[in-house]
Amino acid sequence: MKVLDAEFVKGFMRMADDGWRQGWHERNGGNLSYRVKPEEVEAVREEFRPGEWKAIGASVPKLAGEYFLVTGSGKYFRNVTIQPEDSFCIIELDSKGENYRICWGLVNGGRPTSELPSHLMNHEVKFIATGGKHRVIYHAHPANTIALTFVLPLTDEAFTRELWEMATECPVVFPGGIGVVPWMVPGGREIAAATSELMKQYDVAIWAHHGMFCSGEDFDLTFGLMHTVEKSAEILVKVRSMQPYKRQTIQPDDFRHLAKDFNVTLPEKFLYEKH
Ligand code: 13P
Ligand code: ZN
């Protein structure tokens, strides 16, 4: 089968295009990766032309030998559906999880996203934490979430609680909460380590003054998670734009009742009393 005819590749392209349409991917902003299933690799292997091994810039031994579909560095999400072979690639990791090689795609040259260390370290943490269920790591630049990193305290507690309050479905969609990474230089191992540490407990990590990372089982769940967090951030921006305080909101005990009825566990550290 041709790579571009495979359902997992179509799903990847649709998600990238959805993100572009949401306005989350100015220029080359954002990146997306998917850990390909063994049977999906076999279905398209005939088109693989492996290149040179190159250093990942991080060590992910638990992902040794895995294949990933990943957007290219400097490539535009806007072009993913019209120039797929130029915009993303399939990479294979070596037996140590320290090097990768491009097997398909990026036909005009280039390399996987500069955030490859963050993607792969997040994949490794989630591989362990979910027993291999999570396959998608998504990084985008959604404006409302970024705007909040200039006005809210940069703590997991503040972001989780404020975004939970903005839409009743939020604590059900991300009951574990949200982690926050202070401003750091992007593209390296240090920010990757900070993000993957948060991904041990959260499916969402916000990068101050930059964007957001989400992890999930499939394209729908991961896109839906990013969409839900950003929608909630948009509501908070609108509320704060009307007046600096909320006249009424969802209270800690309301969350506790919701948790019971919807059968989710909401950590008490997010249900603090406000003064
Ligand atoms: P890439 O083009 O290398 O994927 O970088 C985009 C980005 O959002 C960096 O954080
Ligand atoms: Zn970015």
Side-chain angles (χ1 to χ4, degrees):
M1 189 195 292
K2 292 214 180 306
V3 168
L4 293 178
D5 291 334
E7 284 306 317
F8 72 97
V9 179
K10 290 183 192 166
F12 182 92
M13 289 167 53
R14 178 179 171 219
M15 176 159 165
D17 199 50
D18 284 346
W20 155 247
R21 287 163 195 262
Q22 288 294 328
W24 299 340
H25 299 285
E26 76 293 340
R27 205 172 180 276
N28 64 308
N31 22 77
L32 174 62
S33 64
Y34 169 72
R35 187 166 54 82
V36 188
K37 295 175 183 166
E39 64 271 24
E40 292 169 334
V41 172
E42 291 319 312
V44 300
R45 193 186 279 284
E46 67 200 49
E47 282 204 318
F48 287 3
R49 303 286 177 270
E52 300 284 298
W53 290 107
K54 302 214 167 99
I56 292 168
S59 180
V60 286
K62 291 277 185 300
L63 301 178
E66 294 276 348
Y67 289 78
F68 293 85
L69 199 51
V70 57
T71 49
S73 186
K75 300 297 181 181
Y76 292 25
F77 271 55
R78 180 171 168 251
N79 293 334
V80 161
T81 53
I82 53 165
Q83 295 175 316
E85 303 94 332
D86 174 65
S87 301
F88 57 89
C89 59
I90 295 176
I91 59 170
E92 175 189 5
L93 303 198
D94 69 1
S95 59
K96 288 189 174 151
E98 288 180 359
N99 299 286
Y100 73 88
R101 61 180 178 182
I102 297 174
C103 298
W104 178 93
L106 290 178
V107 291
N108 298 311
R111 59 188 178 90
T113 172
S114 59
E115 305 295 0
L116 191 63
S118 278
H119 278 258
L120 293 180
M121 286 176 76
N122 288 341
H123 273 293
E124 186 178 50
V125 159
K126 285 302 185 188
F127 183 82
I128 297 165
T130 70
K133 273 193 188 156
H134 277 211
R135 292 189 171 271
V136 182
I137 298 289
Y138 183 31
H139 170 56
H141 296 173
N144 294 288
T145 301
I146 297 169
L148 290 179
T149 68
F150 294 89
V151 299
L152 291 182
L154 294 176
T155 65
D156 305 357
E157 287 79 7
F159 269 80
T160 301
R161 178 63 176 279
E162 289 304 314
L163 293 176
W164 276 1
E165 283 185 32
M166 288 303 110
T168 297
E169 72 179 281
C170 283
V172 181
V173 176
F174 49 96
I178 293 176
V180 181
V181 180
W183 188 87
M184 291 174 80
V185 176
R189 196 201 301 248
E190 216 177 301
I191 196 167
T195 310
S196 60
E197 191 55 38
L198 291 174
M199 283 291 182
K200 287 179 182 166
Q201 40 175 328
Y202 306 118
D203 291 340
V204 185
I206 290 172
W207 280 5
H209 322 325
H210 182 144
M212 186 174 6
F213 266 85
C214 288
S215 173
E217 291 182 26
D218 59 27
F219 298 125
D220 279 352
L221 285 166
T222 315
F223 186 84
L225 180 56
M226 178 83 65
H227 204 182
T228 304
V229 174
E230 171 60 6
K231 174 90 178 271
S232 187
E234 182 181 350
I235 297 168
L236 184 53
V237 168
K238 286 188 198 304
V239 168
R240 288 214 173 203
S241 305
M242 287 186 280
Q243 53 184 40
Y245 60 88
K246 299 169 205 153
R247 185 177 176 130
Q248 54 270 322
T249 186
I250 306 169
Q251 298 296 335
D253 272 344
D254 298 332
F255 285 119
R256 293 185 184 101
H257 292 140
L258 183 83
K260 212 159 159 250
D261 279 14
F262 280 80
N263 210 11
V264 290
T265 306
L266 302 179
E268 278 292 319
K269 69 171 172 172
F270 300 127
L271 302 180
Y272 51 87
E273 288 302 325
K274 290 186 186 177
H275 302 291

